[in-house]
Amino acid sequence: MKFFQHTHRALVAAAGLLLTACASPNQPIAEQGPPSPATAAEMAVMARHDSLMAKMDELYRLKGLITKAKAPGAGPYFRGLAAADAAMMGWMHQYRAPDSTAIPAARLAYFQQQQQLLATVSRQFRATIDSASLFINRQPALPSPSESAPSN
């Protein structure tokens, strides 16, 4: 019985240490102190991804407004928004973060490449959202994109 109590205490202590080590979700458990360049690059990629994902609602909302407009010439704006959506989904499907045990220089290079790819997706998002918003603003029967945005 003493063996089981000792083992149970050891497991509880190990779980406590693991939870303490997991308190910082922004860097691997093995890293102490400031993040390595590869980890910092990975965090930057994830921050840009999160920023783009936050714009997906805007993209879908604009697609809905353009569909509702049924205005001549709406097709290119709708297709632009759909292409931006597809670019984001394409990036997410190809993204494969290297294992944290991979060579640090290789990890850093991968995350730098992903940052460039996401920068392209980000420019596409910005351009298509801006142009679709302008198109909608020119449609007299529709509220402007800012008027139809959900209030928080």
Side-chain angles (χ1 to χ4, degrees):
M1 183 69 158
K2 233 179 190 183
F3 172 76
F4 291 112
Q5 288 175 339
H6 179 69
T7 304
H8 179 71
R9 282 190 203 130
L11 287 173
V12 170
L17 288 173
L18 181 61
L19 289 174
T20 302
C22 291
S24 175
N26 294 329
Q27 78 187 71
I29 294 170
E31 287 190 24
Q32 301 298 319
S36 69
T39 298
E42 180 180 18
M43 289 167 30
V45 166
M46 289 296 100
R48 180 166 259 171
H49 163 267
D50 294 347
S51 172
L52 286 169
M53 289 305 294
K55 294 178 184 174
M56 291 298 282
D57 285 342
E58 174 79 359
L59 194 133
Y60 293 138
R61 191 177 59 73
L62 289 169
K63 282 171 69 175
L65 287 172
I66 287 175
T67 300
K68 185 177 178 180
K70 297 180 184 173
Y77 300 98
F78 186 86
R79 287 189 296 276
L81 292 167
D85 182 19
M88 184 63 186
M89 294 302 131
W91 178 84
M92 288 192 304
H93 288 289
Q94 67 80 40
Y95 180 78
R96 300 284 182 266
D99 188 86
S100 63
T101 60
I103 297 168
R107 289 183 71 232
L108 179 60
Y110 179 81
F111 293 125
Q112 288 171 336
Q113 175 200 35
Q114 295 305 304
Q115 189 69 271
Q116 290 173 350
L117 292 172
L118 275 179
T120 301
V121 173
S122 182
R123 285 189 296 274
Q124 185 177 9
F125 260 61
R126 189 176 328 111
T128 58
I129 286 173
D130 289 350
S131 66
S133 293
L134 285 171
F135 174 77
I136 290 168
N137 284 335
R138 292 185 198 130
Q139 304 307 309
L142 290 175
S144 72
S146 60
E147 290 174 9
S148 62
S151 59
N152 289 332

